[in-house]
Amino acid sequence: MFSSADIREKFLDFFEKKGHRIVPSSSLIPDDPSVLFTTAGMQQFKRYYTGELDAEKDFGSKNTVSIQKCFRTSDIDEVGDESHLTFFEMLGNFSFGGYFKEEAIEYAYEFIVKEMGLKIEYATIFDPAKVPEGDWRKSVPFDGESEKIWKKYGVEINREGIDVFWGPTGEEGPCGPTTEIYVKNAAGKAIEIWNIVFNEFYRDENKKLSPLKTPGIDTGMGLERLTMVVQNKPTIFETDLFEIPFSSTISGMGSSGRIMADHLRGIVFIIVDGVRPSNKGAGYILRRLIRRAIYQSKKMRNYSSLNNFMDNIIRFYGAYPDYKNLIVDAIIIHNVFREEAEKFEKGLDLGLREFGKKYPGLTAQFYNPGQALKIPETNKFISGEDAFYSHQTYGLTIDIIKDLAKNGLHQVDEEGFWREFKKHQEISRAGAEKKFGGHGLSPSAGETQGEGEDKEKIVRLHTATHLLQAALRQSLGDKVSQKGSNINAERLRFDFSFDRKLTPEELKKIEDLVNEKIKENLPVNFIELPKGEALASGALHFFGEKYPEKVKIYYTGSDLKSAFSKEFCGGPHVKNTSEIGKFKILKEEAVSSGVRRIKAAVLD
Ligand code: SER
């Protein structure tokens, strides 16, 4: 029987022999600001389909193969059954103008039938007749070519509609009809294991399709599912991918064990790719995973093993070269987890008790395990406000509330919860801006924080931030505007609006420009002006922000009018740009849709 390691190796070998270049997995946090996580193997290759990048130049081949770590939140409510996961690995082969339907189907057939020894039950193909009227995919033609190819191999066909059209990831991007391969699982049921996408179109944000410059192939097959079928196991949790890191313990734990196992894998991989728990975006997903894993393990009274499980995951996956960072950053992973866990646990017990008072019986399993639950038939609706109160006060996430609700078949007003959540986020954002004087600076950049050398470094980085913003606008245009800024003694972090990744040439130009201004020994001064005059000076400020009647403008250069940079700001700053030292950009990355982040340092 093949182990999961055998399957990985066979997949990569098979496609390497067919002229594919093996490409390492990209980060779970994509460069692509239109999505929070990497959800498919094709994501790192998006720009090869659009023709912006040239695969032959970058990989020495038009065809690539990868095993990509992926994270999807779309199935999070299904996790706990036999085969759904948030974190998984995707086996995929790709072609950017190299081959198309004929070879893609031939390779897939050969790999599944000859290499894996499985029988294909049937394959699906795209048929617009099955697409609802008015849908944007209705105009895509029937995929008769794939039907013909499959028939050659004697494989049965199912014609389907929108389920066999893939993409784009996010609002726009490559997409196209697909053919999916179905095989039988251990229970004799046909399940989908491989999705072969024929990327022929580009969808723009108005849902209009146009032919792709480089039509190509994008395939995706979940490693966990394939392993389950090959090893003839009833669930993915009984494959070696789970049995090894979880020492065969979880199969007996029911859905709680499965949720915990799934989430722990996700937690480890998301942390190692740089996400930290927070209340928004990827950080909030991580927070939810951590809390839910702890909650589920508490339910099973198995909390102490979470750290051991994490160690096992780190060791099991860290053995693969793509994932060696897990070993390097093992301590970071544990620390991030522990810090969040400690915070959460403070509120959890109390939260469960309080929640149990309002909704009797739902939390009884934590206190009187094994006893029959007495749940009154009245009050079976948990309002959005109540759910949010438990979240806000005790940290019980919506997933936890939903899980508790199941005990009494209660209904949760999830939409109401999210309304409250959003409302609260808006209020706290407004509060934070007030507190930091609307300069977008964290308190660490203010006058009162930092001692000695640290403080001096922070002041240098603060002035460098002003130069950076001016350089960005000079190089990329006025659409660049500040979205956030944070400075500590090591580095500055500057978030700004911009709709794509910066090229290495652009970054170099911006870095050079800042260094040029530093070399010019420009004086840094401030002037206090009435608000109206300050606004008229063209100094940068936050739109819609309420400023006091008199504002300070810091400017770099001999006078306000000709200054290279001028911003509404409370300071402090260096007296002369020469004090900054050498400016170095460390990293440029996406924060969210349309927002980029630069991290930079100043050297002595
Ligand atoms: N992009 C397709 C998927 O995610 C095939 O890789 O299923």
Side-chain angles (χ1 to χ4, degrees):
M1 186 174 71
F2 296 139
S3 67
S4 59
D6 296 335
I7 296 174
R8 288 176 198 273
E9 203 181 305
K10 280 184 179 292
F11 187 78
L12 295 177
D13 272 3
F14 177 83
F15 281 101
E16 195 175 33
K17 288 206 182 92
K18 306 266 185 209
H20 293 62
R21 202 46 66 91
I22 300 174
V23 177
S25 171
S26 65
S27 168
L28 269 185
I29 312 306
D31 264 343
D32 176 352
S34 65
V35 282
L36 277 185
F37 291 104
T38 298
T39 56
M42 62 80 72
Q43 238 154 296
Q44 67 164 320
F45 301 119
K46 252 175 149 176
R47 291 197 290 165
Y48 295 98
Y49 294 108
T50 54
E52 277 169 84
L53 294 175
D54 180 347
E56 206 131 39
K57 209 167 105 204
D58 292 353
F59 307 115
S61 168
K62 285 190 169 130
N63 313 320
T64 62
V65 58
S66 71
I67 302 177
Q68 173 69 48
K69 49 184 166 179
C70 296
F71 186 87
R72 290 186 181 177
T73 50
S74 51
D75 293 335
I76 197 160
D77 286 330
E78 257 84 47
V79 174
D81 70 2
E82 309 83 51
S83 65
H84 282 92
L85 293 169
T86 54
F87 171 83
F88 65 101
E89 290 179 275
M90 190 184 269
L91 308 168
N93 56 295
F94 309 90
S95 185
F96 322 101
Y99 57 87
F100 208 47
K101 297 187 179 177
E102 185 77 47
E103 293 90 335
I105 293 175
E106 178 194 318
Y107 297 160
Y109 177 83
E110 200 182 319
F111 184 76
I112 291 296
V113 175
K114 302 207 177 122
E115 298 286 322
M116 294 291 108
L118 298 168
K119 178 176 179 292
I120 297 178
E121 285 305 307
Y122 65 89
T124 57
I125 58 150
F126 180 81
D127 183 355
K130 308 264 173 165
V131 174
E133 270 329 309
D135 186 278
W136 58 278
R137 288 155 284 205
K138 189 79 182 164
S139 60
V140 175
F142 170 64
D143 188 5
E145 190 184 344
S146 295
E147 189 172 78
K148 239 194 253 142
I149 303 168
W150 278 122
K151 283 202 168 139
K152 237 175 36 192
Y153 296 106
V155 170
E156 261 190 60
I157 291 296
N158 254 8
R159 296 182 182 188
E160 289 183 14
I162 55 172
D163 285 347
V164 290
F165 189 95
W166 198 84
T169 57
E171 278 306 297
E172 58 177 325
C175 57
T178 83
T179 178
E180 305 160 320
I181 297 176
Y182 280 73
V183 301
K184 273 196 179 144
N185 68 5
K189 191 173 154 240
I191 60 164
E192 182 207 333
I193 54 159
W194 204 347
N195 189 17
I196 296 158
V197 183
F198 307 118
N199 268 322
E200 299 180 64
F201 304 105
Y202 190 90
R203 191 187 93 160
D204 68 19
E205 63 225 330
N206 302 320
K207 299 189 178 170
K208 257 189 71 120
L209 294 174
S210 49
L212 261 190
K213 197 144 173 210
T214 315
I217 295 297
D218 151 32
T219 88
M221 173 159 57
L223 173 65
E224 290 79 358
R225 259 194 205 197
L226 177 65
T227 307
M228 171 179 92
V229 185
V230 168
Q231 297 179 353
N232 200 29
K233 301 286 187 187
T235 76
I236 43 182
F237 300 97
E238 283 143 275
T239 64
D240 64 347
L241 285 163
F242 284 85
E243 297 248 298
I244 298 176
F246 296 96
S247 30
S248 311
T249 39
I250 48 159
S251 2
M253 290 183 192
S255 69
S256 287
R258 294 172 182 176
I259 294 172
M260 180 203 68
D262 168 77
H263 287 13
L264 282 180
R265 290 171 11 127
I267 289 163
V268 163
F269 275 93
I270 291 177
I271 295 176
V272 83
D273 279 346
V275 179
R276 297 293 174 262
S278 76
N279 273 341
K280 62 177 206 292
Y284 190 59
I285 305 275
L286 173 60
R287 171 162 284 166
R288 276 168 76 182
L289 290 182
I290 294 177
R291 293 185 178 186
R292 200 175 185 214
I294 292 172
Y295 163 83
Q296 291 293 355
S297 71
K298 255 204 149 57
K299 228 162 107 175
M300 302 179 293
R301 301 192 148 52
N302 204 14
Y303 179 55
S304 59
S305 25
L306 290 190
N307 285 306
N308 290 340
F309 287 145
M310 278 170 41
D311 265 338
N312 296 346
I313 296 168
I314 290 169
R315 254 180 288 131
F316 180 65
Y317 284 97
Y320 294 100
D322 282 14
Y323 304 144
K324 62 175 184 299
N325 264 0
L326 291 172
I327 308 276
V328 178
D329 292 337
I331 294 175
I332 297 179
I333 297 170
H334 279 292
N335 285 348
V336 171
F337 179 84
R338 185 172 17 104
E339 213 175 281
E340 178 68 14
E342 279 168 6
K343 253 191 265 168
F344 174 56
E345 289 196 302
K346 277 200 196 119
L348 178 60
D349 272 332
L350 196 57
L352 288 172
R353 276 181 204 281
E354 290 301 314
F355 189 80
K357 279 188 202 153
K358 177 126 199 205
Y359 299 100
L362 296 193
T363 58
Q365 70 207 90
F366 289 92
Y367 311 111
N368 309 305
Q371 278 189 15
L373 300 179
K374 278 202 211 75
I375 295 168
E377 279 307 306
T378 51
N379 191 19
K380 292 189 82 148
F381 179 78
I382 300 170
S383 69
E385 285 86 1
D386 274 3
F388 187 70
Y389 176 79
S390 292
H391 175 271
Q392 189 61 8
T393 316
Y394 306 109
L396 306 190
T397 61
I398 187 70
D399 319 283
I400 296 175
I401 308 275
K402 272 161 61 184
D403 191 74
L404 292 169
K406 272 193 223 146
N407 291 332
L409 301 174
H410 284 45
Q411 297 249 330
V412 188
D413 178 8
E414 215 180 325
E415 265 178 41
F417 170 86
W418 288 112
R419 263 199 309 278
E420 291 295 314
F421 189 91
K422 246 188 108 196
K423 222 182 342 183
H424 181 82
Q425 264 192 336
E426 271 153 24
I427 292 165
S428 62
R429 192 173 323 127
E433 268 163 22
K434 257 214 184 77
K435 198 152 74 222
F436 306 146
H439 301 120
L441 293 170
S442 78
S444 67
E447 284 97 332
T448 52
Q449 304 255 330
E451 295 288 335
E453 277 179 20
D454 275 6
K455 172 154 184 192
E456 187 223 293
K457 200 71 180 278
I458 286 169
V459 173
R460 286 160 59 197
L461 283 161
H462 187 190
T463 310
T465 305
H466 281 216
L467 295 181
L468 171 63
Q469 177 161 212
L472 282 165
R473 287 169 62 93
Q474 184 164 323
S475 313
L476 305 174
D478 290 351
K479 51 184 181 286
V480 169
S481 71
Q482 174 168 345
K483 292 287 168 217
S485 165
N486 170 290
I487 302 174
N488 64 30
E490 267 81 54
R491 51 106 190 104
L492 67 84
R493 195 180 81 195
F494 186 72
D495 295 349
F496 58 98
S497 53
F498 197 61
D499 53 10
R500 61 166 171 82
K501 190 167 177 54
L502 273 62
T503 65
E505 293 76 31
E506 284 168 336
L507 287 171
K508 171 95 176 43
K509 209 172 116 196
I510 289 158
E511 189 181 272
D512 287 350
L513 183 53
V514 172
N515 279 316
E516 211 174 281
K517 295 296 158 190
I518 291 172
K519 280 212 194 95
E520 284 174 18
N521 298 336
L522 298 171
V524 183
N525 281 307
F526 72 84
I527 179 172
E528 254 179 315
L529 289 176
K531 189 163 61 180
E533 246 176 86
L535 290 168
S537 76
L540 298 177
H541 59 276
F542 284 89
F543 282 98
E545 184 72 30
K546 289 231 180 321
Y547 286 101
E549 280 318 308
K550 257 190 145 154
V551 291
K552 248 185 186 180
I553 296 173
Y554 266 90
Y555 60 96
T556 320
S558 49
D559 58 86
L560 180 62
K561 202 152 175 257
S562 70
F564 173 66
S565 101
K566 40 187 152 177
E567 286 188 36
F568 284 32
C569 179
H573 284 279
V574 298
K575 294 254 170 310
N576 189 292
T577 55
S578 61
E579 294 166 44
I580 295 173
K582 197 171 160 44
F583 174 78
K584 185 145 187 44
I585 293 180
L586 306 171
K587 199 170 181 187
E588 189 269 347
E589 63 193 345
V591 187
S592 63
S593 176
V595 181
R596 312 293 308 176
R597 168 171 292 174
I598 283 182
K599 287 189 186 156
V602 293
L603 314 172
D604 293 325

